Amino acid sequence: MSGGAQASEEPVLAVEAVDVYLGRGHRSTRILDAVSLDVHAGEIVGVIGETGSGKTTLARTIVGLVDPAVGAVRLDARVISGTRATRRRQLRRSGHVQYVFQDPLRSLDPDFTVDRIVAEGLVAQGRLGRDEIARRVSQALRRVGLDDELLTRRPAEISGGQRQRVAIARAIVLEPRLLICDEPVSALDASNRNKILRLLDELRTTLDIAIIVIAHDLSSLAGIADRVLVLYRGQVVEDGSIGEVFSRPAHPYTGLLVASAPNVIHRSLDARQLRVVSRPEQVDAAVDGCVFASRCRFATDSCRRRPPLLEVRPGRRVACHHHDTWRAEHVTHP
């Protein structure tokens, strides 16, 4: 499914070397460390990493819920600036960035009917009359594969797959430029997962929108994403095209993630060689050296220096001093 969209020259979203801290003073912890990300219209970019890697913080920074200490977030080349409240108002009024949450049952108001849920953003903008809002709500439902007969139902009266489609309809009814999907299929069964992923793949083409998909399920990203960004303890350790990253992981951490999902790509990765401690040390992402070194069996003295995020090939970046040697030893191809 992936790879069908042709990216435009100017990205819809540009996250530029963003640092994010939580807490204050000497107790503050760096959650994101010099994270950069571009997403173009018609493109799906996956963001992967373990719990605590900074994926959701990155999404919350993009939508204005978290303030970056350093760096900038640009939407259509314009910096999203001002106080947190100001940024949220700007984005809410424009509707240009929309968020689809992990669990549709919790993200949808249980007392609202489907038509009210989908229309909520349009009503808040106050720009359209009742008839036009009703028309757009009906159109959005059709685009996600739902009929008008669901308009008067409440979330508890429809299936899980239908609820997630309603959540997506609520997002696209505002004609966003960027859609952020935070674990959009993790609460669904296998059949509905595939259907929702196919829907996202269709929408990025038909609506020409940029989509970020945050996921733990690497197999779902392999089906729809064009590129993937790998986060570990707040740092980008690898990014590139989905095919290259999953079939030829250049960072040991990426190799570990791919090895844990053996059906992602038809390749062989010797996961037994990737010795990992059961619980990584809880360290600040700003510590000197490679943040993965304490878990990596390939670490050497050189890993006491932080590896730069280098472009090893066009469109492919890796932060690992040994990205060539470890892969040559432990990644094979059929």
Side-chain angles (χ1 to χ4, degrees), residues 18 90 96 108 122 136 141-143 154 160 165 169 178 185 203 209 223 225 234 251 272 278 323 329 332 334:
V18 161
Q90 291 173 345
H96 288 168
L108 304 179
L122 294 174
R136 293 199 183 189
L141 286 179
R142 290 196 302 272
R143 280 178 168 163
R154 289 176 171 79
R165 289 175 187 268
L178 172 68
V185 298
L203 291 175
I209 59 176
H251 194 283
R272 293 169 300 179
S278 59
H323 65 86
E329 293 178 9
T332 61

Side-chain angles (χ1 to χ4, degrees), residues 146-165:
L146 297 177
D147 297 324
D148 285 352
E149 66 181 27
L150 296 182
L151 285 170
T152 58
R153 297 188 188 180
R154 289 176 171 79
E157 299 171 335
I158 59 179
S159 70
Q162 288 173 328
R163 285 193 290 266
Q164 194 62 299
R165 289 175 187 268

Side-chain angles (χ1 to χ4, degrees), residues 242-249 258 265-267 331-333:
I242 194 79
E244 274 205 26
V245 171
F246 282 179
S247 63
R248 293 174 55 83
V258 174
I265 294 290
H266 294 292
R267 55 88 190 95
V331 180
T332 61
H333 301 277

Side-chain angles (χ1 to χ4, degrees), residues 171-191:
I172 67 170
V173 76
L174 293 167
E175 300 179 346
R177 297 280 290 139
L178 172 68
L179 188 65
I180 301 176
C181 302
D182 192 350
E183 301 278 4
V185 298
S186 62
L188 305 176
D189 59 39
S191 174

